[in-house]
Amino acid sequence: MTINAVRHAFERQSVACEALGSPFTARLCRLAAARLTLGDTVADRVLGWPGDPSPQADSVPLRLAGCLHALVLEGLAPDLISVYPPHDVADDRLWDAVEKALTDHADFILARLQSAPQTNEVSRSGALLPGFLTIAELMGKPLVLSEVGASAGLNLQWDRYRYRLGDLAWGDPASPVEIAPDWHGETPPEARISVLERAGCDLAPVNAADSAHRLRMLSYIWADQQDRLSRTRAALDIAAGHGVTVEQADAIDWLGTRLASPRPGAVHVIFHTIAWQYLPAALQAEGEALIAAAGGRATDDAPLARLALEADDRSHDGAALTLEIWPGGAKKEIGRGDFHGRWIRWAGW
């Protein structure tokens, strides 16, 4: 890739960050696009990126932003801390501190640049909950949960949070995690939900009880979005307290194992949020075939459902919230949601 491709990746990420409510990260990306120059070890690595630096591929802008935020969260770069939120400084001062961090902490940054960004957006549970309520209302059975791309499993424990979805208050009123998106549409169904089993997989799972893993996850949350940082910290604490673990596994192999046996007396729910799109096309096709085959074996006593919040060809309008149910294979877009869960437009089943 050329240097211009890397600069373009930072410019595109800047636009996305602005749209998703992070003017600081947007400004950081704009400055990097304009001012990052060859001659420094880290800058040479970034500008000479050998793969695709775009947000849809290697996400180089978010890798670098995560490295810098990690230095701030760890208290390792005082000059950088002095220009990061809640401080508001001029562009020249911000970039001077960034350049100093790139030089002073080159080894730290180079090591972290090797790994792709990883997040676990807790607020997406606000889109999942009405889907689970719909499944429970339609099926009248307890749930067995299987999440693909579960990261730290924070959305795997969606029933341990408290919610306000329009006129519906749901969940544990004492939970330290509150999810209250801007809700558009009718009130979702109220149904009794019981979770019998929960499991998740990820190629690089995050251990909520491990301080290094927690730092990595928090570093990829944008520095001027304190509400997301606080919510994620609280969700990590809940996951650690309940011993939530995510299996390190290939998504398709794991799905094959999870779908191999029926769950009589329960509805098995396969779900994923902004994860399926990152699978190569061939693996997506294999996964779709696995789920369809399991759906063909589903019965009224052992039904199967798939709940997904994923980007589609209308990504300018958030992500599609879809639900598919077997036996029968009925499928519907039941709503749309912001990629960070800030708003939900509910259509219902």
Side-chain angles (χ1 to χ4, degrees):
M1 285 289 170
T2 66
I3 290 177
N4 284 340
V6 176
R7 296 195 190 282
H8 183 57
F10 276 95
E11 290 166 355
R12 287 178 60 194
Q13 188 62 61
S14 174
V15 172
C17 290
E18 198 77 59
L20 288 168
S22 180
F24 174 80
T25 312
R27 182 159 69 113
L28 186 65
C29 288
R30 283 196 302 271
L31 287 171
R35 302 192 185 190
L36 201 60
T37 55
L38 294 171
D40 173 271
T41 306
V42 173
D44 290 353
R45 169 63 173 152
V46 172
L47 292 172
W49 194 261
D52 182 349
S54 71
Q56 286 71 35
D58 293 345
S59 297
V60 171
L62 293 187
R63 291 187 191 219
L64 184 59
C67 293
L68 295 170
H69 195 197
L71 290 171
V72 170
L73 291 172
E74 284 287 87
L76 299 176
D79 289 339
L80 200 60
I81 293 170
S82 72
V83 299
Y84 257 58
H87 307 289
D88 186 13
V89 301
D91 284 354
D92 287 346
R93 185 179 167 198
L94 172 58
W95 189 249
D96 286 347
V98 168
E99 285 192 317
K100 187 175 189 304
L102 297 183
T103 300
D104 292 351
H105 302 280
D107 290 344
F108 177 90
I109 294 172
L110 290 171
R112 283 180 58 96
L113 281 173
Q114 296 179 41
S115 301
Q118 189 169 18
T119 57
N120 199 172
E121 184 50 63
V122 184
S123 288
R124 290 174 187 156
S125 284
L128 292 172
L129 174 60
F132 287 122
L133 288 169
T134 299
I135 293 168
E137 181 184 57
L138 291 171
M139 303 296 195
K141 297 181 184 299
L143 309 182
V144 170
L145 305 175
S146 295
E147 184 183 10
V148 176
S151 191
L154 303 188
N155 290 319
L156 194 59
Q157 55 172 10
W158 51 269
D159 53 325
R160 294 172 178 148
Y161 308 143
R162 55 190 166 102
Y163 298 82
R164 171 66 68 176
L165 304 180
D167 293 332
L168 176 67
W170 193 94
D172 179 2
S175 176
V177 175
E178 180 180 31
I179 299 174
D182 291 336
W183 182 267
H184 307 273
E186 295 184 1
T187 303
E190 293 190 56
R192 183 180 178 85
I193 292 183
S194 173
V195 177
L196 292 183
E197 176 193 343
R198 66 189 85 218
C201 77
D202 200 281
L203 281 176
V206 173
N207 180 351
D210 184 285
S211 59
H213 283 215
R214 290 169 67 101
L215 171 66
R216 177 171 176 75
M217 173 155 290
L218 293 169
S219 72
Y220 291 115
I221 297 173
W222 298 330
D224 54 346
Q225 295 189 327
Q226 187 57 51
D227 59 332
R228 290 179 66 207
L229 283 163
S230 298
R231 189 181 302 114
T232 303
R233 285 191 178 100
L236 286 165
D237 289 343
I238 294 172
H242 283 86
V244 172
T245 58
V246 175
E247 183 178 351
Q248 183 173 12
D250 171 83
I252 304 306
D253 291 343
W254 184 83
L255 263 181
T257 300
R258 292 291 292 172
L259 291 168
S261 303
R263 305 303 205 281
V267 52
H268 187 183
V269 185
I270 305 296
F271 73 100
H272 45 88
T273 63
I274 321 299
W276 198 259
Q277 65 196 58
Y278 294 113
L279 294 175
L283 291 182
Q284 286 186 23
E286 189 177 346
E288 299 285 348
L290 272 174
I291 295 171
R297 300 190 299 269
T299 64
D300 290 338
D301 186 49
L304 178 71
R306 181 185 186 183
L307 179 64
L309 180 72
E310 295 286 350
D312 59 6
D313 57 5
R314 294 166 53 199
S315 291
H316 63 282
D317 188 29
L321 180 65
T322 58
L323 176 60
E324 195 166 3
I325 292 174
W326 294 269
K331 182 176 181 179
K332 184 177 178 181
E333 182 176 301
I334 57 175
R336 298 193 71 83
D338 174 68
F339 286 90
H340 286 173
R342 295 176 301 169
W343 57 263
I344 298 166
R345 193 162 61 246
W346 176 247
W349 183 259

